Amino acid sequence: MLLWSSLFLGLAIFSGSFALDNGLALTPPMGWNPYNAFSCDTTEAQYRAAAQGLVNLGLNTLGYNYLNLDCGWQGKSRNAAGGFTWSTTMIPSGIPALSSFVHSLGLKFGIYSDGGVYACDFVGGSAHYLGSLGYEISDAATFASWGADYLKYDNCYAVNATDFVDYNPPVSTHYVTMRDALAATKRPIAFSVCEWGVQDPARWPASAVGNSWRISNDIGPPASWDNLFRIINQLMPITQFAKQGGWNDLDLLEVGNSGLTIDEQQTHFAFWAAAKSPLFISTDLSDLSTQALDILKNRRLIAVNQDPLGASIAFKRRYTNDHDVWAGPLADGSTVAIIINWQNASKSVTFDLADVGFSSAQAVDLITGLSLGELRRSYTANVGAHGSMALKLDSGVPAPAPTFTFYNAATSNNTLAGGAATRVVNSTITVVGFVGQGGTLTFNNIDGGSSGGTKLLSFDYINADYTFSNTACSNCRYAFVSVNGGTPVEMQMPISGQSWDIIYSGYLLSMPGFKPGKANTIQISNPSAFTPDFYRVGVAN
């Protein structure tokens, strides 16, 4: 549900690896949800049409098997026995009848509720849609009796009946309560934890609570490229938490909706699929273009999403203002790579195979299905504005891994100026912060080797400047790097986590201007904003 406001919190992080063992969602769930197309104004007729549309368009045969309700179906008061009710205006035949219809088509039926006093809505006054706080056991039993196979559980009014949003409620507690209530019904009901990324759910860990967890604020409506950029940055530090039975949920698909070009929709679908996000179509199926339908029916990308290994793509490299490289393994030993063109225009994009650890590989274009044959060292193609390459790489020959000499930021050899200062993290390491807005960090006595020239740098940093709204750099910070006083080069650095004690290691940047010997300097600055906090820089040997 929609939460357009900024959020900047430092949070305690829980460690450990857990998984909800309910035997469900062993691959990311797929289906249809109305919210991006219809918000909270969906009618029974639209639900029935969407269910029939999944079948008529052949989407169910590709794995889109859930027909899920979202906000607006609920009643505004409980019945005399305290039971959950539905809106007879929106669902005149009743939820049991709608559930039976969905099941008669061979589909699964998903319900929606909220872990608060009321559900997320903008009805106002006292006429709120029902939430499940305090009624978890009875509501779970009711949902099971209606034949629910899936529950999307929202997070509004989670503290009291007056605060629509509270960013610091005991989030995990009320989700645990509903998890246990669902288990008590003995009906297999997949559990979608929809807390918008509050309190870093991948590290609660939400994987012990739900089959998926939202990592961010809503993707829309309306759809926009800025929303995708914000969510992609927010995924960067948590890709490792996706696994069988528990998935990072990047939110509903916008494919088919206005606000994104076809190239952007293709990038959106390819990235969501490779990140192992649940894939829920959220558009009017009766008004779907052929191009959008082709994107949604891409069997090759669906196979990546449903791959039994269950490993998400991970961030590999960002060529700031040009392109990203993400990649991850598949069960058959191959690798999927997603390369995103960040430019607002079509351009020639060169994918360096070394960015994913290969010197050569056999490649298939997952968008077109064409075999590209053997790629050696790099592959160049014209990519549309905000478009992407989606490649399956097989028989990869490993490239030599670079080795680095590391230089810590907080040492007496370096120069901190203009307000830059050190701080201790977790009583173990020291980083340099307050770089930018006049503050600078200069690494001194850097070894340029025997020949100098261009060097590959590797930065370890902390950035918890995360946001639920779109900004000039949503869920990222800029830093400018110069070598020996040369022209600064911009780095756009995604968040490393949601608290200022989580380090991201290995942000790569190639920089020219090194001299032979050990008299080189690397300076980090930003004239108008703060950079991330820096732990160290590595210089390739």
Side-chain angles (χ1 to χ4, degrees):
M1 185 62 196
L2 193 63
L3 292 173
W4 290 116
S5 58
S6 296
L7 174 61
F8 304 95
L9 296 174
L11 303 169
I13 302 301
F14 299 91
S15 61
S17 178
F18 304 91
L20 175 60
D21 186 18
N22 62 2
L24 302 174
L26 298 183
T27 58
M30 300 171 61
W32 183 88
N33 177 293
Y35 186 76
N36 287 348
F38 303 111
S39 191
C40 295
D41 297 318
T42 312
T43 66
E44 180 179 347
Q46 289 168 325
Y47 282 120
R48 287 176 177 263
Q52 194 67 60
L54 289 176
V55 174
N56 293 348
L57 294 171
L59 291 163
N60 62 322
T61 65
L62 299 174
Y64 296 99
N65 291 321
Y66 284 100
L67 189 288
N68 286 0
L69 308 188
D70 211 291
C71 54
W73 71 270
Q74 312 98 305
K76 297 172 185 175
S77 61
R78 293 181 175 269
N79 61 28
F84 213 100
T85 61
W86 59 82
S87 166
T88 56
T89 300
M90 305 299 279
I91 314 291
S93 296
I95 294 298
L98 178 57
S99 174
S100 294
F101 172 74
V102 170
H103 286 136
S104 74
L105 296 176
L107 302 173
K108 296 179 180 180
F109 179 68
I111 207 83
Y112 165 94
S113 190
D114 187 280
V117 178
Y118 304 119
C120 296
D121 63 69
F122 301 97
V123 175
S126 60
H128 293 288
Y129 297 123
L130 293 172
S132 291
L133 185 64
Y135 293 87
E136 291 88 352
I137 293 175
S138 61
D139 285 357
T142 297
F143 300 154
S145 73
W146 291 342
D149 305 299
Y150 188 105
L151 172 63
K152 176 182 175 181
Y153 205 48
D154 226 328
N155 195 34
C156 293
Y157 297 102
V159 175
N160 55 53
T162 57
D163 293 332
F164 179 69
V165 174
D166 189 311
Y167 289 119
N168 199 31
V171 172
S172 61
T173 302
H174 63 250
Y175 282 102
V176 167
T177 302
M178 181 53 84
R179 175 202 65 187
D180 294 344
L182 292 174
T185 70
K186 306 301 182 183
R187 180 176 177 83
I189 301 175
F191 189 29
S192 170
V193 175
C194 183
E195 41 32 71
W196 333 301
V198 169
Q199 298 177 9
D200 212 355
R203 291 183 170 90
W204 287 349
S207 58
V209 181
N211 297 112
S212 65
W213 48 91
R214 278 279 299 280
I215 71 164
S216 69
N217 197 1
D218 289 8
I219 193 172
S224 76
W225 180 250
D226 288 344
N227 291 344
L228 301 189
F229 176 74
R230 167 176 51 82
I231 293 170
I232 288 170
N233 281 336
Q234 195 152 355
L235 177 68
M236 193 273 275
I238 58 172
T239 56
Q240 70 274 21
F241 292 101
K243 64 180 69 174
Q244 288 186 341
W247 310 103
N248 289 313
D249 183 353
L250 280 60
D251 204 3
L252 307 170
L253 293 170
E254 290 281 19
V255 177
N257 295 329
S258 61
L260 296 176
T261 68
I262 286 297
D263 281 333
E264 290 170 343
Q265 291 179 51
Q266 181 64 76
T267 297
H268 170 31
F269 186 78
F271 191 92
W272 263 232
K276 304 302 190 290
S277 176
L279 297 179
F280 278 90
I281 301 167
S282 192
T283 192
D284 185 349
L285 294 180
S286 68
D287 191 32
L288 195 59
S289 72
T290 300
Q291 288 174 302
L293 182 60
D294 287 345
I295 291 171
L296 293 170
K297 296 180 77 170
N298 186 316
R299 293 176 181 270
R300 295 170 297 276
L301 287 170
I302 291 172
V304 167
N305 181 256
Q306 299 292 296
D307 184 74
L309 184 63
S312 171
I313 51 171
F315 177 81
K316 298 299 181 182
R317 189 160 179 181
R318 173 161 292 176
Y319 295 83
T320 295
N321 298 323
D322 194 89
H323 69 278
D324 260 15
V325 179
W326 296 65
L330 299 173
D332 64 2
S334 63
T335 296
V336 59
I338 305 294
I339 300 93
I340 303 173
N341 173 18
W342 290 121
Q343 290 283 305
N344 296 327
S346 296
K347 69 182 299 290
S348 179
V349 174
T350 296
F351 164 46
D352 186 345
L353 270 70
D355 287 339
V356 297
F358 297 136
S359 60
S360 66
Q362 297 289 327
V364 172
D365 185 327
L366 293 172
I367 295 174
T368 66
L370 295 176
S371 172
L372 303 178
E374 184 182 26
L375 307 184
R376 296 183 179 181
R377 300 185 66 178
S378 66
Y379 172 67
T380 300
N382 189 67
V383 179
H386 300 159
S388 57
M389 303 180 197
L391 305 177
K392 184 176 182 180
L393 306 174
D394 208 348
S395 303
V397 176
T403 61
F404 296 90
T405 299
F406 285 96
Y407 302 84
N408 286 358
T411 68
S412 59
N413 288 331
N414 298 334
T415 304
L416 280 60
T422 62
R423 69 179 180 92
V424 178
V425 178
N426 292 333
S427 303
T428 55
I429 66 169
T430 304
V431 299
V432 174
F434 295 102
V435 178
Q437 295 189 348
T440 59
L441 164 62
T442 304
F443 293 85
N444 298 313
N445 304 321
I446 303 299
D447 191 351
S450 60
S451 57
T454 297
K455 294 287 186 180
L456 181 65
L457 307 182
S458 177
F459 293 91
D460 294 356
Y461 68 90
I462 298 176
N463 175 17
D465 193 1
Y466 73 102
T467 178
F468 276 22
S469 58
N470 296 331
T471 66
C473 193
S474 301
N475 291 316
C476 60
R477 281 188 173 187
Y478 287 105
F480 294 83
V481 181
S482 63
V483 173
N484 295 324
T487 302
V489 172
E490 185 179 61
M491 294 191 296
Q492 188 186 72
M493 310 179 83
I495 59 170
S496 61
Q498 289 190 18
S499 66
W500 288 93
D501 58 359
I502 301 173
I503 292 179
Y504 176 77
S505 296
Y507 185 100
L508 300 176
L509 175 71
S510 292
M511 284 294 297
F514 283 89
K515 301 177 294 186
K518 299 181 179 180
N520 294 280
T521 63
I522 299 172
Q523 185 176 87
I524 301 174
S525 63
N526 185 326
S528 59
F530 286 120
T531 74
D533 294 354
F534 287 91
Y535 171 47
R536 63 181 185 175
V537 63
V539 180
N541 297 314

